[in-house]
Amino acid sequence: MQLHSETPEDENRQLVRDMVREFAEKNIRPHVMEWDEAQHFPVETFKAMGQLGIMGLLVPETYGGAGLGYQEYVDVIVEIARVCGGVGLSLAAHNSLCTGHILAFGNEDQKRSWLPRLTGAEWIGAWALTEAGTGSDALGMATTAVSDGDCYVVNGTKNWITHGQSGDIVVVMVRTGEKGRSQGVSALVVNKGMPGFVSGKKENKLGMRASETTELIFDNCRVPKANLLGREGEGFKQAMQVLEGGRISIAALALGIAKGAHEAAVRYAKERHQFGQPIANFQGISFKLADMATEIEAAELLTRQAADRKNRGVSVVKQAAMAKYYASEVAVKCATEAVQIFGGYGYTKDFPVEKYYRDAKLCTIGEGTSEIQKLVIAREILK
């Protein structure tokens, strides 16, 4: 009895995976350490990914996107992050945050105006919620947008913004009402070059160094009211929904980093000889590899479950938080164990695992810390 037959959907997903893996090996892997050392954001590589069709993965073909679902999206992020976490992070931020926010909440004119430029990577997208004094406490934001005729006048500073310098368009959460109230936040689209809008300090980061992270500074920046996404006061609710998809992105990112670290450790354990045999023969090493493989598969199942629910349009709050929390912690553990398996070589930049080790940690912090994910999960199970 045949229990499983490959469907056209499976075949299509494999084609996408193969295409992205080949691209990553050819266009990203040779430059990984060069970009990391220089903290270089490879804009031309993202333009090439636009030509490949992966800068608008979830966007319908009507707006120039690939029209794919979340399973394919996870596949693509995993394949890129296996090679470079920084490039994977930027790909995820462009797709799920900026582009995803406009797709979900923009009106028809806004979508037709902005999405085709984002999906083809003519524009690089950014998304701005966090401020220096408001990380997890997003409702305490100080950036304001005051109504003035047919514009909003925006003042304030955003921090930790992916593509804050190179981005051509940014979705910014601003306070249009009372501080601390979710109804007091709105989402505005700001274009590069608008007077009063500049990028500030570029962060010198531990990992994910090929992904650019900077301040955004608004000084009496006049933004047309036509750039408001949805209605005034809906920005916080929109942002929380966008972050649900973003957490699936970070779960996929963490999964790719974990897989890359594990694959490197397996290869090294087979090649490295001590006491006349490969170190993979020693139980202390083989058990580490077994634990890593098991936890990676568990993280993938959680991530795939969240992606499936997102595709079906059902609540994904708990599942996305679980996937993001578990996968990010697994990435850190797998990268740590990979360094241990490599021994002294793992502590040098001549071997790949030290970069996985540095990149992995951000996954437990960005788009909601592990502690925030546990808070979300606890709220959901205690309803």
Side-chain angles (χ1 to χ4, degrees):
M1 180 176 69
Q2 187 175 10
L3 295 176
H4 174 75
S5 61
E6 194 169 75
T7 66
E9 183 183 359
D10 294 327
E11 293 172 5
N12 288 338
R13 281 184 55 196
Q14 188 60 52
L15 287 171
V16 171
R17 281 195 296 268
D18 290 346
M19 175 187 73
V20 175
R21 179 171 290 202
E22 181 181 346
F23 178 89
E25 293 294 337
K26 181 180 178 182
N27 298 283
I28 298 174
R29 193 178 293 280
H31 308 290
V32 164
M33 290 311 297
E34 169 196 340
W35 294 343
D36 183 79
E37 291 285 338
Q39 293 203 88
H40 173 66
F41 176 60
V43 174
E44 291 309 311
T45 301
F46 283 86
K47 302 288 186 186
M49 288 196 287
Q51 294 299 308
L52 200 65
I54 61 174
M55 293 293 275
L57 278 161
L58 300 167
V59 177
E61 293 178 16
T62 310
Y63 307 113
L68 298 176
Y70 267 81
Q71 297 295 3
E72 292 89 347
Y73 180 51
V74 169
D75 290 334
V76 169
I77 298 296
V78 166
E79 289 300 329
I80 296 294
R82 279 178 62 254
V83 176
C84 179
V87 175
L89 174 65
S90 279
L91 181 64
H94 176 94
N95 271 283
S96 71
L97 297 182
C98 179
T99 305
H101 197 141
I102 293 169
L103 178 64
F105 299 106
N107 60 41
E108 193 61 24
D109 287 343
Q110 290 171 334
K111 287 191 279 192
R112 290 192 179 277
S113 175
W114 296 324
L115 289 178
R117 294 176 176 180
L118 287 162
T119 58
E122 177 188 346
W123 283 355
I124 301 295
W127 193 79
L129 173 65
T130 306
E131 298 180 5
T134 60
S136 299
D137 179 21
L139 286 177
M141 70 177 63
T143 299
T144 58
V146 177
S147 176
D148 183 20
D150 60 357
C151 288
Y152 287 102
V153 180
V154 181
N155 283 283
T157 303
K158 295 290 183 178
N159 292 68
W160 307 108
I161 308 306
T162 305
H163 314 145
Q165 191 174 79
S166 298
D168 300 283
I169 183 172
V170 55
V171 179
V172 187
M173 266 48 68
V174 294
R175 186 158 56 79
T176 50
E178 187 180 338
K179 182 182 278 193
R181 288 178 55 82
S182 61
Q183 297 86 352
V185 176
S186 301
L188 294 176
V189 173
V190 183
N191 293 92
K192 191 173 189 175
M194 283 185 172
F197 170 43
V198 296
S199 59
K201 175 190 173 188
K202 181 177 177 179
E203 302 297 340
N204 185 10
K205 299 178 299 185
L206 169 73
M208 302 290 197
R209 289 165 62 86
S211 180
E212 175 188 283
T213 307
T214 73
E215 287 180 321
L216 294 181
I217 301 167
F218 301 92
D219 182 10
N220 290 320
C221 177
R222 296 183 67 84
V223 180
K225 287 186 176 176
N227 286 23
L228 176 70
L229 292 173
R231 291 192 292 269
E232 189 173 296
E234 292 181 342
F236 185 77
K237 184 179 178 181
Q238 292 175 7
M240 293 304 103
Q241 187 173 322
V242 168
L243 283 172
E244 288 175 15
R247 284 165 183 163
I248 297 173
S249 297
I250 301 300
L253 178 69
L255 187 58
I257 291 170
K259 285 187 174 188
H262 184 249
E263 289 163 7
V266 168
R267 283 194 304 271
Y268 184 79
K270 290 177 178 179
E271 294 166 359
R272 172 71 166 169
H273 282 65
Q274 292 284 275
F275 305 102
Q277 58 184 310
I279 63 172
N281 289 355
F282 299 120
Q283 198 174 74
I285 300 298
S286 65
F287 278 16
K288 285 182 186 295
L289 295 171
D291 283 342
M292 291 160 74
T294 302
E295 291 176 358
I296 287 170
E297 293 228 359
E300 179 146 26
L301 286 169
L302 281 170
T303 306
R304 295 295 179 183
Q305 174 185 243
D308 174 65
R309 291 179 69 90
K310 189 72 173 173
N311 277 343
R312 290 189 286 117
V314 296
S315 175
V316 75
V317 176
K318 181 180 76 172
Q319 288 77 16
M322 284 181 167
K324 195 272 186 189
Y325 165 54
Y326 188 74
S328 63
E329 295 291 342
V330 165
V332 170
K333 182 176 179 182
C334 286
T336 302
E337 291 288 50
V339 170
Q340 192 71 16
I341 289 167
F342 272 73
Y345 291 115
Y347 205 65
T348 72
K349 292 182 182 291
D350 295 327
F351 290 81
V353 290
E354 66 85 31
K355 182 176 182 298
Y356 291 120
Y357 181 78
R358 290 184 289 108
D359 286 350
K361 187 58 193 169
L362 182 70
C363 297
T364 70
I365 299 169
E367 295 194 38
T369 63
S370 289
E371 291 76 17
I372 288 294
Q373 303 315 311
K374 287 194 273 191
L375 187 67
V376 171
I377 295 162
R379 282 176 180 166
E380 289 297 304
I381 63 177
L382 293 171
K383 278 183 175 177

PDB file of all heavy atoms in Angstrom, residues 85-101:
ATOM      1  N   GLY A  85      23.161  34.117   8.297  1.00  0.00           N
ATOM      2  CA  GLY A  85      22.050  34.596   9.111  1.00  0.00           C
ATOM      3  C   GLY A  85      21.722  36.052   8.849  1.00  0.00           C
ATOM      4  O   GLY A  85      20.556  36.444   8.855  1.00  0.00           O
ATOM      5  N   GLY A  86      22.735  36.877   8.594  1.00  0.00           N
ATOM      6  CA  GLY A  86      22.499  38.303   8.367  1.00  0.00           C
ATOM      7  C   GLY A  86      21.667  38.556   7.127  1.00  0.00           C
ATOM      8  O   GLY A  86      20.723  39.354   7.138  1.00  0.00           O
ATOM      9  N   VAL A  87      21.996  37.870   6.033  1.00  0.00           N
ATOM     10  CA  VAL A  87      21.221  38.018   4.807  1.00  0.00           C
ATOM     11  C   VAL A  87      19.818  37.469   5.021  1.00  0.00           C
ATOM     12  O   VAL A  87      18.827  38.053   4.567  1.00  0.00           O
ATOM     13  CB  VAL A  87      21.927  37.323   3.624  1.00  0.00           C
ATOM     14  CG1 VAL A  87      21.056  37.386   2.370  1.00  0.00           C
ATOM     15  CG2 VAL A  87      23.282  37.965   3.350  1.00  0.00           C
ATOM     16  N   GLY A  88      19.712  36.352   5.748  1.00  0.00           N
ATOM     17  CA  GLY A  88      18.392  35.791   6.051  1.00  0.00           C
ATOM     18  C   GLY A  88      17.532  36.743   6.856  1.00  0.00           C
ATOM     19  O   GLY A  88      16.341  36.887   6.601  1.00  0.00           O
ATOM     20  N   LEU A  89      18.152  37.422   7.832  1.00  0.00           N
ATOM     21  CA  LEU A  89      17.425  38.379   8.657  1.00  0.00           C
ATOM     22  C   LEU A  89      16.886  39.528   7.813  1.00  0.00           C
ATOM     23  O   LEU A  89      15.725  39.927   7.947  1.00  0.00           O
ATOM     24  CB  LEU A  89      18.344  38.926   9.750  1.00  0.00           C
ATOM     25  CG  LEU A  89      17.773  40.048  10.615  1.00  0.00           C
ATOM     26  CD1 LEU A  89      16.589  39.566  11.430  1.00  0.00           C
ATOM     27  CD2 LEU A  89      18.852  40.628  11.531  1.00  0.00           C
ATOM     28  N   SER A  90      17.717  40.070   6.936  1.00  0.00           N
ATOM     29  CA  SER A  90      17.280  41.186   6.100  1.00  0.00           C
ATOM     30  C   SER A  90      16.185  40.765   5.126  1.00  0.00           C
ATOM     31  O   SER A  90      15.238  41.516   4.874  1.00  0.00           O
ATOM     32  CB  SER A  90      18.475  41.773   5.335  1.00  0.00           C
ATOM     33  OG  SER A  90      19.206  42.648   6.171  1.00  0.00           O
ATOM     34  N   LEU A  91      16.319  39.568   4.580  1.00  0.00           N
ATOM     35  CA  LEU A  91      15.284  39.054   3.674  1.00  0.00           C
ATOM     36  C   LEU A  91      13.956  38.936   4.408  1.00  0.00           C
ATOM     37  O   LEU A  91      12.896  39.308   3.877  1.00  0.00           O
ATOM     38  CB  LEU A  91      15.718  37.698   3.124  1.00  0.00           C
ATOM     39  CG  LEU A  91      14.771  37.025   2.131  1.00  0.00           C
ATOM     40  CD1 LEU A  91      14.643  37.845   0.859  1.00  0.00           C
ATOM     41  CD2 LEU A  91      15.251  35.614   1.808  1.00  0.00           C
ATOM     42  N   ALA A  92      14.004  38.445   5.647  1.00  0.00           N
ATOM     43  CA  ALA A  92      12.792  38.291   6.450  1.00  0.00           C
ATOM     44  C   ALA A  92      12.178  39.640   6.796  1.00  0.00           C
ATOM     45  O   ALA A  92      10.960  39.831   6.704  1.00  0.00           O
ATOM     46  CB  ALA A  92      13.113  37.516   7.729  1.00  0.00           C
ATOM     47  N   ALA A  93      13.015  40.613   7.180  1.00  0.00           N
ATOM     48  CA  ALA A  93      12.505  41.941   7.556  1.00  0.00           C
ATOM     49  C   ALA A  93      11.839  42.628   6.372  1.00  0.00           C
ATOM     50  O   ALA A  93      10.787  43.268   6.513  1.00  0.00           O
ATOM     51  CB  ALA A  93      13.641  42.795   8.099  1.00  0.00           C
ATOM     52  N   HIS A  94      12.431  42.502   5.203  1.00  0.00           N
ATOM     53  CA  HIS A  94      11.862  43.111   4.002  1.00  0.00           C
ATOM     54  C   HIS A  94      10.515  42.478   3.663  1.00  0.00           C
ATOM     55  O   HIS A  94       9.537  43.179   3.380  1.00  0.00           O
ATOM     56  CB  HIS A  94      12.838  42.932   2.834  1.00  0.00           C
ATOM     57  CG  HIS A  94      12.327  43.433   1.522  1.00  0.00           C
ATOM     58  ND1 HIS A  94      12.585  44.702   1.050  1.00  0.00           N
ATOM     59  CD2 HIS A  94      11.551  42.837   0.573  1.00  0.00           C
ATOM     60  CE1 HIS A  94      12.002  44.862  -0.124  1.00  0.00           C
ATOM     61  NE2 HIS A  94      11.367  43.747  -0.441  1.00  0.00           N
ATOM     62  N   ASN A  95      10.472  41.140   3.702  1.00  0.00           N
ATOM     63  CA  ASN A  95       9.260  40.423   3.297  1.00  0.00           C
ATOM     64  C   ASN A  95       8.129  40.525   4.312  1.00  0.00           C
ATOM     65  O   ASN A  95       7.009  40.897   3.971  1.00  0.00           O
ATOM     66  CB  ASN A  95       9.580  38.941   3.063  1.00  0.00           C
ATOM     67  CG  ASN A  95      10.000  38.629   1.651  1.00  0.00           C
ATOM     68  OD1 ASN A  95       9.193  38.549   0.738  1.00  0.00           O
ATOM     69  ND2 ASN A  95      11.302  38.442   1.452  1.00  0.00           N
ATOM     70  N   SER A  96       8.423  40.165   5.554  1.00  0.00           N
ATOM     71  CA  SER A  96       7.322  39.996   6.511  1.00  0.00           C
ATOM     72  C   SER A  96       6.938  41.279   7.230  1.00  0.00           C
ATOM     73  O   SER A  96       5.774  41.458   7.583  1.00  0.00           O
ATOM     74  CB  SER A  96       7.670  38.927   7.556  1.00  0.00           C
ATOM     75  OG  SER A  96       8.669  39.387   8.441  1.00  0.00           O
ATOM     76  N   LEU A  97       7.879  42.194   7.419  1.00  0.00           N
ATOM     77  CA  LEU A  97       7.573  43.398   8.180  1.00  0.00           C
ATOM     78  C   LEU A  97       7.099  44.529   7.270  1.00  0.00           C
ATOM     79  O   LEU A  97       5.921  44.862   7.238  1.00  0.00           O
ATOM     80  CB  LEU A  97       8.783  43.819   9.015  1.00  0.00           C
ATOM     81  CG  LEU A  97       9.226  42.817  10.094  1.00  0.00           C
ATOM     82  CD1 LEU A  97      10.408  43.361  10.884  1.00  0.00           C
ATOM     83  CD2 LEU A  97       8.080  42.466  11.041  1.00  0.00           C
ATOM     84  N   CYS A  98       8.008  45.104   6.504  1.00  0.00           N
ATOM     85  CA  CYS A  98       7.618  46.237   5.663  1.00  0.00           C
ATOM     86  C   CYS A  98       6.604  45.840   4.594  1.00  0.00           C
ATOM     87  O   CYS A  98       5.479  46.346   4.558  1.00  0.00           O
ATOM     88  CB  CYS A  98       8.858  46.841   5.008  1.00  0.00           C
ATOM     89  SG  CYS A  98       8.472  48.246   3.927  1.00  0.00           S
ATOM     90  N   THR A  99       6.983  44.924   3.724  1.00  0.00           N
ATOM     91  CA  THR A  99       6.100  44.506   2.631  1.00  0.00           C
ATOM     92  C   THR A  99       4.826  43.876   3.178  1.00  0.00           C
ATOM     93  O   THR A  99       3.724  44.150   2.688  1.00  0.00           O
ATOM     94  CB  THR A  99       6.843  43.519   1.709  1.00  0.00           C
ATOM     95  OG1 THR A  99       8.064  44.121   1.261  1.00  0.00           O
ATOM     96  CG2 THR A  99       6.001  43.150   0.503  1.00  0.00           C
ATOM     97  N   GLY A 100       4.975  43.046   4.210  1.00  0.00           N
ATOM     98  CA  GLY A 100       3.823  42.372   4.795  1.00  0.00           C
ATOM     99  C   GLY A 100       2.823  43.339   5.406  1.00  0.00           C
ATOM    100  O   GLY A 100       1.613  43.129   5.319  1.00  0.00           O
ATOM    101  N   HIS A 101       3.322  44.399   6.031  1.00  0.00           N
ATOM    102  CA  HIS A 101       2.437  45.388   6.659  1.00  0.00           C
ATOM    103  C   HIS A 101       1.628  46.122   5.585  1.00  0.00           C
ATOM    104  O   HIS A 101       0.410  46.306   5.722  1.00  0.00           O
ATOM    105  CB  HIS A 101       3.264  46.377   7.480  1.00  0.00           C
ATOM    106  CG  HIS A 101       2.467  47.158   8.471  1.00  0.00           C
ATOM    107  ND1 HIS A 101       2.914  47.460   9.725  1.00  0.00           N
ATOM    108  CD2 HIS A 101       1.219  47.713   8.402  1.00  0.00           C
ATOM    109  CE1 HIS A 101       2.003  48.165  10.383  1.00  0.00           C
ATOM    110  NE2 HIS A 101       0.962  48.332   9.586  1.00  0.00           N
TER     111      HIS A 101
END
